[in-house]
Amino acid sequence: TLYGYDVITVLLWLAILICVFIIRYQLNEKRFFDLNPIFAAEKANINPKKMVAGLRVLKEVIGWIDALVWAVFAVALIEVFVFQLYEIPSESMVPEFLVKDRVAVLKISDGPKFPLSEVGLPRLRNYDRGDIVVFSNPHYDQNRQAQVQKFTSQLVYMFTLMQVNLNVDEDGNLKADPLVKRVCGVPGDQ
């Protein structure tokens, strides 16, 4: 896709986030107490205890759903922009890391990007010899459909606490993607 399209998508995503905060502020119980059925029942001299039982359960369920949605959103933002857990797919990092070891990767210094776009934060530093890096395996397709499948797989992997990995090839074998390697050459080396 075009870079401009990615920028527009990210701006719309941020606009939706801002609208959610505005709507949550406007729908706060203290701001519209006149529209709340409990207060309306008190004004109409109806016994609010009959209404309260059902509303209390509904309010509790909505509160739990709201908390769950915000927790998922916060975890996704942290995974995209701050740090993410990866599993070592091969024995190339032995003895420092063994196969199936899990490492937490800090994304801030590399300039994380919004998923499925080229828009993101700027890179804060360059890599030095000996740094450990995580990158997409160049042996697999890098087209848009493969990126969407990989992103979906990472979300499922993250929300199942690294128990379900959908990132498989056509034969059903787990892909060695992303790769975790050590930098051994830097720009200017021959």
Side-chain angles (χ1 to χ4, degrees):
T1 59
L2 298 174
Y3 184 77
Y5 177 72
D6 287 344
V7 170
I8 291 171
T9 304
V10 169
L11 290 176
L12 285 174
W13 186 78
L14 291 174
I16 290 170
L17 178 65
I18 291 169
C19 287
V20 166
F21 281 116
I22 292 171
I23 290 170
R24 283 183 54 110
Y25 175 73
Q26 293 296 327
L27 292 179
N28 189 340
E29 189 174 290
K30 295 175 185 174
R31 295 189 50 81
F32 68 94
F33 65 90
D34 287 335
L35 300 177
N36 190 324
I38 295 171
F39 295 114
E42 287 177 358
K43 285 184 177 180
N45 292 326
I46 299 173
N47 187 359
K49 290 183 180 180
K50 294 178 183 177
M51 296 181 71
V52 170
L55 290 175
R56 186 174 296 153
V57 170
L58 180 65
K59 185 177 178 181
E60 189 70 27
V61 169
I62 290 173
W64 276 96
I65 291 171
D66 182 52
L68 180 66
V69 167
W70 280 100
V72 166
F73 184 70
V75 167
L77 278 178
I78 289 170
E79 289 266 336
V80 169
F81 292 108
V82 181
F83 73 91
Q84 188 170 355
L85 293 175
Y86 290 98
E87 189 173 285
I88 305 295
S90 65
E91 59 276 346
S92 64
M93 294 296 290
V94 172
E96 189 165 348
F97 297 120
L98 302 176
V99 177
K100 303 283 185 192
D101 277 356
R102 294 182 174 143
V103 293
V105 176
L106 185 63
K107 293 182 168 186
I108 294 291
S109 61
D110 190 38
K113 300 201 178 331
F114 279 87
L116 309 174
S117 74
E118 291 300 318
V119 178
L121 302 175
R123 178 179 280 181
L124 299 177
R125 71 176 197 87
N126 291 323
Y127 297 114
D128 296 326
R129 189 180 327 278
D131 286 349
I132 296 173
V133 296
V134 177
F135 58 94
S136 294
N137 192 335
H139 294 290
Y140 297 116
D141 288 335
Q142 300 299 324
N143 61 22
R144 188 73 165 182
Q145 181 182 3
Q147 288 178 346
V148 170
Q149 182 181 7
K150 181 179 174 182
F151 179 70
T152 305
S153 169
Q154 286 178 342
L155 284 178
V156 170
Y157 192 59
M158 172 183 61
F159 290 128
T160 60
L161 302 174
M162 301 178 78
Q163 298 302 314
V164 177
N165 192 347
L166 302 177
N167 197 14
V168 295
D169 60 11
E170 295 81 22
D171 299 328
N173 299 323
L174 285 178
K175 291 182 179 179
D177 189 30
L179 296 175
V180 180
K181 302 293 180 189
R182 184 179 305 281
V183 174
C184 57
V186 293
D189 286 352
Q190 294 184 358

